[in-house]
């Protein structure tokens, strides 16, 4: 007598389908997690021109008179 019902421990070849389903589930979740993390860095808002100019001035890359000139030019443009 072979046991093939859900109440018995032996399911025939059905276990292979369940193992495949679990593998697909984990691989799909892993793929989603990877792509979510990989694309988060590109979805960040871009810095505006004034913010970049302020950061350059704070780091000392440009002088005060050049900073004020560039800032007035950007204000005239409306950035």
């Amino acid at each position: 007598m072979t046991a093939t019902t859900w109440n018995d421990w032996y399911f025939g070849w059905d276990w292979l389908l369940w193992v495949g389903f679990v593998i697909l589930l984990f691989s799909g979740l892993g793929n989603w997690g990877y792509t979510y993390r990989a694309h988060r860095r590109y979805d960040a808002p871009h810095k505006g021109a004034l913010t970049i100019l302020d950061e350059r001035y704070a780091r000392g890359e440009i002088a005060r008179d050049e900073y004020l000139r560039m800032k007035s030019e950007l204000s005239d443009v409306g950035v």
Side-chain angles (χ1 to χ4, degrees), residues 62-74:
I62 55 176
R64 179 175 169 78
D65 56 344
E66 187 178 2
Y67 168 74
L68 293 174
R69 182 183 56 80
M70 290 178 160
K71 189 171 183 178
S72 68
E73 287 177 4
L74 289 174

Side-chain angles (χ1 to χ4, degrees), residues 30-66:
N31 187 26
W32 176 81
Y34 172 75
T35 54
Y36 177 76
R37 286 190 313 271
H39 290 100
R40 267 182 56 184
R41 74 180 77 157
Y42 299 111
D43 292 339
H46 297 288
K47 296 179 182 178
L50 286 174
T51 305
I52 294 171
L53 183 63
D54 291 338
E55 290 175 356
R56 288 185 63 198
Y57 179 64
R59 285 193 299 260
E61 294 179 4
I62 55 176
R64 179 175 169 78
D65 56 344
E66 187 178 2

Side-chain angles (χ1 to χ4, degrees), residues 2 4 17 57 63 77:
T2 59
T4 58
L17 295 175
Y57 179 64
V77 173

